[in-house]
Amino acid sequence: MSKPKPKEDFQDPQDRKGINKYFDIHAPVFWPASIITVLFIVVTLVVGEPMEQVFDNLQSGISNYAGWFFIICVNLFLFFCLYLAFGRTGDIRFGGKDAKPEFSTLAWFSMLFSAGMGIGILFWSVAEPLYHFESPPYGEGSTVEAAQIAMNMTFLHWGLHAWGIYALVGASLAFFAFNRKLPLTIRSVFYPLLGDRIYGPIGNLIDVIAVVATLFGLATSLGFGVQQVNAGLNYLFGIEVSVTTQVILIISITLAATASVVLGIDKGVRVLSELNIRIAGVFLIFMIVLGPTLYIFDGFVQNTGYYLQNVIRLGFWTENYQQTDWQNSWTVFYWAWWISWSPFVGMFIARISRGRKVREFILGVLIIPSLLTFLWLSAFGGSGLYIELQGVASIGEAVQENVATALFVLLEQFPWSFVSSLVGVILVVFFFVTSSDSGSLVVDSITSGGKLDAPVGQRIFWANAEGAVAAVLLLGGGLSALQTAAITTGLPFAFVLIIMCFSLYKGLNEEYARELTLVKEKDKKSYETVIQKLIKKQKQQEEEVNK
């Protein structure tokens, strides 16, 4: 494949002069994405309460008729990534054969984990296992068997399938950005299939879909996060749990995210991300030490083994014979959420993965964050199940009443609950801020044609847009609206990811063929050099004999 030449609007920021002080947009992407966002906000606010029923109907319709499609897609993405990791293209290095990793392996793993899970794992790590324990997808609830099923289903939703989606998008972006020197936008991934047409209407449409999917995927996470902050503040200080309170919190935290965006990656995003990881690590150790330590470690080992035994069976499970709608609210929602979240996470992990081999990248993205997630779920979710099974307290009832309170009801059962709950609230807020500012930088990059240093005003616009969408979703239907947003935007982007598989496969194989040709030419030159040396040596020997 010949090296593509970026169009003027997509050139590297360092090669461009006279960047606008406040906005420097790629109009065919920025304006459609902005108009869609504003229209959604206006329509939801104008229609009011009836929008809740619209969201319910939309979610049910997509889940009922396209649930099987989501299940096929996430399995396809996982198997495709494994194929690339163990195939002949696994030794291709992002950035070329001489590229070196920018970050240490430990730092790389830490950033992978923080980017992929964020607010979600804080919200669901206790709530989901306890919810499944009370209302399992099959079998009788509130039993030992239900506890095993609960952890297994939670591992399924947060394990290899989720990270397979991220690995696909991240590997695609890293390859075409670092090896083909294309702009760091979703459209660049399709160069092997579209050629220079990626700079036209088709490429614009791909980026618009990516922006909208990212925006609503982020808004879903922010909505969950602010519900949990509200629940924590209610527990700590008696602040009312209401949509009004949550909207006020969104406004306040979005302002903090805006400040972080203004400071930029080094002074804002990076500092908060590193602080997040440290606090999260202390929080995890706190639960392991003060919780049922032996039960947590036993559970981690057994749950992981049980998950690996059943991952294929459950990965293709569609509850066809149960004829229930349990899966629509859980598995289908998760797959759509991860797909809509993938442009953000994929672009982030691509930016930190220059110098990694394809095999190293995919296995690293799949295995290490999954294991860390499983340990977190075993610590928090496992502790909740332990308390339920021992009859110490009924956390499950609190979860059924309000899932956002699950973490704080669990922390009540251990010493220093006020302090730990306060730390939990702070951690959720920090994850909220880092998700918002990182997401706005990614969306801003796409809507500015792949630029990484777009003006501050532009970053502020998208940071506030994310907060506005999250607030409107809560006003328009709460949890149901958040789930609908993820499913609705995840569906069209799933088609984009399917095409991405073909494009990445084609690009990697062209790169493999090119590298193989270079190796053969190098070997041929080396062989010819050796032959020439032998001939020269032989001539010298003959001359000596003649003398």
PDB file of all heavy atoms in Angstrom, residues 9 25-33 187 200 204-205 208:
ATOM      1  N   ASP A   9      -6.603  19.883   5.320  1.00  0.00           N
ATOM      2  CA  ASP A   9      -7.354  20.021   6.564  1.00  0.00           C
ATOM      3  C   ASP A   9      -6.939  19.001   7.607  1.00  0.00           C
ATOM      4  O   ASP A   9      -7.283  19.131   8.771  1.00  0.00           O
ATOM      5  CB  ASP A   9      -8.862  19.856   6.293  1.00  0.00           C
ATOM      6  CG  ASP A   9      -9.431  21.065   5.581  1.00  0.00           C
ATOM      7  OD1 ASP A   9      -8.717  22.081   5.523  1.00  0.00           O
ATOM      8  OD2 ASP A   9     -10.566  20.976   5.071  1.00  0.00           O
ATOM      9  N   ILE A  25     -12.068  24.110  13.271  1.00  0.00           N
ATOM     10  CA  ILE A  25     -12.901  22.923  13.071  1.00  0.00           C
ATOM     11  C   ILE A  25     -12.740  22.334  11.682  1.00  0.00           C
ATOM     12  O   ILE A  25     -12.298  23.015  10.745  1.00  0.00           O
ATOM     13  CB  ILE A  25     -14.391  23.258  13.297  1.00  0.00           C
ATOM     14  CG1 ILE A  25     -14.867  24.284  12.269  1.00  0.00           C
ATOM     15  CG2 ILE A  25     -14.613  23.744  14.717  1.00  0.00           C
ATOM     16  CD1 ILE A  25     -16.345  24.562  12.309  1.00  0.00           C
ATOM     17  N   HIS A  26     -13.103  21.046  11.576  1.00  0.00           N
ATOM     18  CA  HIS A  26     -13.329  20.432  10.275  1.00  0.00           C
ATOM     19  C   HIS A  26     -14.840  20.445  10.075  1.00  0.00           C
ATOM     20  O   HIS A  26     -15.570  19.611  10.603  1.00  0.00           O
ATOM     21  CB  HIS A  26     -12.778  19.006  10.266  1.00  0.00           C
ATOM     22  CG  HIS A  26     -12.955  18.315   8.948  1.00  0.00           C
ATOM     23  ND1 HIS A  26     -12.455  18.812   7.774  1.00  0.00           N
ATOM     24  CD2 HIS A  26     -13.600  17.161   8.617  1.00  0.00           C
ATOM     25  CE1 HIS A  26     -12.765  18.009   6.774  1.00  0.00           C
ATOM     26  NE2 HIS A  26     -13.464  17.016   7.265  1.00  0.00           N
ATOM     27  N   ALA A  27     -15.311  21.432   9.332  1.00  0.00           N
ATOM     28  CA  ALA A  27     -16.743  21.757   9.268  1.00  0.00           C
ATOM     29  C   ALA A  27     -17.662  20.587   8.916  1.00  0.00           C
ATOM     30  O   ALA A  27     -18.722  20.429   9.532  1.00  0.00           O
ATOM     31  CB  ALA A  27     -16.961  22.908   8.288  1.00  0.00           C
ATOM     32  N   PRO A  28     -17.314  19.718   7.940  1.00  0.00           N
ATOM     33  CA  PRO A  28     -18.244  18.640   7.578  1.00  0.00           C
ATOM     34  C   PRO A  28     -18.494  17.625   8.694  1.00  0.00           C
ATOM     35  O   PRO A  28     -19.426  16.829   8.596  1.00  0.00           O
ATOM     36  CB  PRO A  28     -17.549  17.964   6.389  1.00  0.00           C
ATOM     37  CG  PRO A  28     -16.644  19.004   5.825  1.00  0.00           C
ATOM     38  CD  PRO A  28     -16.168  19.775   7.011  1.00  0.00           C
ATOM     39  N   VAL A  29     -17.659  17.648   9.730  1.00  0.00           N
ATOM     40  CA  VAL A  29     -17.877  16.757  10.879  1.00  0.00           C
ATOM     41  C   VAL A  29     -18.408  17.542  12.071  1.00  0.00           C
ATOM     42  O   VAL A  29     -19.354  17.126  12.745  1.00  0.00           O
ATOM     43  CB  VAL A  29     -16.571  16.023  11.264  1.00  0.00           C
ATOM     44  CG1 VAL A  29     -16.774  15.189  12.531  1.00  0.00           C
ATOM     45  CG2 VAL A  29     -16.109  15.136  10.124  1.00  0.00           C
ATOM     46  N   PHE A  30     -17.797  18.678  12.328  1.00  0.00           N
ATOM     47  CA  PHE A  30     -18.175  19.462  13.505  1.00  0.00           C
ATOM     48  C   PHE A  30     -19.637  19.877  13.484  1.00  0.00           C
ATOM     49  O   PHE A  30     -20.363  19.692  14.470  1.00  0.00           O
ATOM     50  CB  PHE A  30     -17.275  20.705  13.600  1.00  0.00           C
ATOM     51  CG  PHE A  30     -17.586  21.597  14.771  1.00  0.00           C
ATOM     52  CD1 PHE A  30     -16.981  21.383  15.998  1.00  0.00           C
ATOM     53  CD2 PHE A  30     -18.495  22.649  14.654  1.00  0.00           C
ATOM     54  CE1 PHE A  30     -17.261  22.203  17.082  1.00  0.00           C
ATOM     55  CE2 PHE A  30     -18.784  23.476  15.723  1.00  0.00           C
ATOM     56  CZ  PHE A  30     -18.167  23.243  16.945  1.00  0.00           C
ATOM     57  N   TRP A  31     -20.092  20.445  12.364  1.00  0.00           N
ATOM     58  CA  TRP A  31     -21.451  20.984  12.341  1.00  0.00           C
ATOM     59  C   TRP A  31     -22.532  19.913  12.390  1.00  0.00           C
ATOM     60  O   TRP A  31     -23.482  20.040  13.175  1.00  0.00           O
ATOM     61  CB  TRP A  31     -21.636  21.898  11.124  1.00  0.00           C
ATOM     62  CG  TRP A  31     -20.884  23.189  11.261  1.00  0.00           C
ATOM     63  CD1 TRP A  31     -19.865  23.640  10.482  1.00  0.00           C
ATOM     64  CD2 TRP A  31     -21.076  24.184  12.274  1.00  0.00           C
ATOM     65  NE1 TRP A  31     -19.395  24.849  10.936  1.00  0.00           N
ATOM     66  CE2 TRP A  31     -20.129  25.208  12.039  1.00  0.00           C
ATOM     67  CE3 TRP A  31     -21.950  24.315  13.351  1.00  0.00           C
ATOM     68  CZ2 TRP A  31     -20.040  26.338  12.831  1.00  0.00           C
ATOM     69  CZ3 TRP A  31     -21.861  25.443  14.152  1.00  0.00           C
ATOM     70  CH2 TRP A  31     -20.915  26.436  13.892  1.00  0.00           C
ATOM     71  N   PRO A  32     -22.450  18.829  11.608  1.00  0.00           N
ATOM     72  CA  PRO A  32     -23.480  17.783  11.746  1.00  0.00           C
ATOM     73  C   PRO A  32     -23.538  17.198  13.153  1.00  0.00           C
ATOM     74  O   PRO A  32     -24.628  16.978  13.700  1.00  0.00           O
ATOM     75  CB  PRO A  32     -23.054  16.726  10.717  1.00  0.00           C
ATOM     76  CG  PRO A  32     -22.281  17.478   9.705  1.00  0.00           C
ATOM     77  CD  PRO A  32     -21.562  18.547  10.462  1.00  0.00           C
ATOM     78  N   ALA A  33     -22.351  16.926  13.754  1.00  0.00           N
ATOM     79  CA  ALA A  33     -22.333  16.364  15.109  1.00  0.00           C
ATOM     80  C   ALA A  33     -22.915  17.353  16.117  1.00  0.00           C
ATOM     81  O   ALA A  33     -23.676  16.956  17.017  1.00  0.00           O
ATOM     82  CB  ALA A  33     -20.900  15.993  15.501  1.00  0.00           C
ATOM     83  N   ARG A 187     -12.010   7.797  10.575  1.00  0.00           N
ATOM     84  CA  ARG A 187     -12.043   7.642   9.116  1.00  0.00           C
ATOM     85  C   ARG A 187     -10.738   7.062   8.565  1.00  0.00           C
ATOM     86  O   ARG A 187     -10.750   6.340   7.561  1.00  0.00           O
ATOM     87  CB  ARG A 187     -12.330   8.982   8.450  1.00  0.00           C
ATOM     88  CG  ARG A 187     -11.180   9.963   8.520  1.00  0.00           C
ATOM     89  CD  ARG A 187     -11.420  11.187   7.668  1.00  0.00           C
ATOM     90  NE  ARG A 187     -12.427  12.046   8.243  1.00  0.00           N
ATOM     91  CZ  ARG A 187     -13.220  12.825   7.525  1.00  0.00           C
ATOM     92  NH1 ARG A 187     -13.144  12.807   6.213  1.00  0.00           N
ATOM     93  NH2 ARG A 187     -14.092  13.612   8.104  1.00  0.00           N
ATOM     94  N   GLY A 200     -13.629  12.511   1.924  1.00  0.00           N
ATOM     95  CA  GLY A 200     -14.874  12.996   1.362  1.00  0.00           C
ATOM     96  C   GLY A 200     -16.068  12.718   2.250  1.00  0.00           C
ATOM     97  O   GLY A 200     -15.936  12.493   3.463  1.00  0.00           O
ATOM     98  N   ASN A 204     -16.482  11.693   6.283  1.00  0.00           N
ATOM     99  CA  ASN A 204     -17.165  12.618   7.189  1.00  0.00           C
ATOM    100  C   ASN A 204     -18.271  11.904   7.967  1.00  0.00           C
ATOM    101  O   ASN A 204     -18.432  12.110   9.173  1.00  0.00           O
ATOM    102  CB  ASN A 204     -17.770  13.789   6.405  1.00  0.00           C
ATOM    103  CG  ASN A 204     -16.701  14.665   5.772  1.00  0.00           C
ATOM    104  OD1 ASN A 204     -15.578  14.752   6.265  1.00  0.00           O
ATOM    105  ND2 ASN A 204     -17.049  15.310   4.667  1.00  0.00           N
ATOM    106  N   LEU A 205     -19.047  11.067   7.256  1.00  0.00           N
ATOM    107  CA  LEU A 205     -20.134  10.331   7.906  1.00  0.00           C
ATOM    108  C   LEU A 205     -19.594   9.398   8.983  1.00  0.00           C
ATOM    109  O   LEU A 205     -20.166   9.302  10.085  1.00  0.00           O
ATOM    110  CB  LEU A 205     -20.916   9.535   6.860  1.00  0.00           C
ATOM    111  CG  LEU A 205     -22.058   8.655   7.396  1.00  0.00           C
ATOM    112  CD1 LEU A 205     -23.118   9.509   8.075  1.00  0.00           C
ATOM    113  CD2 LEU A 205     -22.673   7.825   6.267  1.00  0.00           C
ATOM    114  N   VAL A 208     -18.690  11.492  11.984  1.00  0.00           N
ATOM    115  CA  VAL A 208     -19.884  11.996  12.668  1.00  0.00           C
ATOM    116  C   VAL A 208     -20.494  10.903  13.537  1.00  0.00           C
ATOM    117  O   VAL A 208     -20.857  11.145  14.692  1.00  0.00           O
ATOM    118  CB  VAL A 208     -20.923  12.519  11.651  1.00  0.00           C
ATOM    119  CG1 VAL A 208     -22.261  12.786  12.345  1.00  0.00           C
ATOM    120  CG2 VAL A 208     -20.426  13.792  10.985  1.00  0.00           C
TER     121      VAL A 208
END
